Every structure is written in C-alpha cells, then in structure tokens.
Amino acid sequence: DLGFFPTPQALARRMVGMLPKGIRRILEPSAGSGSIASEAREGHPDAEIVCVEIDARRAEHLSNHDFDTMTADFLTVNAFDPFDAVV
C-alpha cells in the first residue's frame, strides 16, 4: 500500500493560487493523480511542471497527460535543477 490520498481540487486550486506570478519551474513531489499539477498548469501556463510519483501506473497517467514525470520516490531523487516552487 502506497498510501494514496488524492488532493481535493478546491484545495489544489487554493494552494496553487498562493504561488507568486512569474514562476518558471514547479515541482509536485508525490504527484498521485496530478490534481495539483493540473491546477499549476492552469494557473501558471508558462511554467515547467515536474511531477515525481512512486506508483508506476499513476506516473504513466501523468505522462499521458503531458506532464514531465519521473517514476521514483522523491525522497531518494537528488538530481534536480532548482525549482521556484514545490507544491
């Protein structure tokens, strides 16, 4: 059991709404079904959004929705360029 707890869309929207305008790179660790990434894409259409998801099926779903996705445990990944925000 990977302990999947989806972020409600309203909460994802609120979180992304707190991000400053003009940010260029956003990381969503433990991206799950991508509710935060989807809101980030809406609110910051020019930003690069990188998702990390440990579950291969969910990571494939994110990739199929054109998110830059890495299948991994984000706590073990150390090869990231700097991000403007982690949500």
Side-chain angles (χ1 to χ4, degrees), residues 62-84:
L62 293 163
S63 291
N64 290 339
H65 285 85
D66 296 323
F67 287 108
D68 180 3
T69 306
M70 180 184 302
T71 306
D73 177 349
F74 81 93
L75 294 173
T76 66
V77 177
N78 61 7
F80 288 125
D81 290 330
F83 287 91
D84 298 314

Side-chain angles (χ1 to χ4, degrees), residues 6-19 28 31 33-44 87:
T7 304
Q9 205 67 38
L11 178 57
R13 186 173 298 118
R14 183 174 176 207
M15 292 165 57
V16 170
M18 294 179 180
L19 297 176
E28 185 184 353
S33 61
S35 58
I36 297 171
S38 295
E39 287 297 327
R41 181 181 278 166
E42 281 287 318
H44 300 273
V87 185

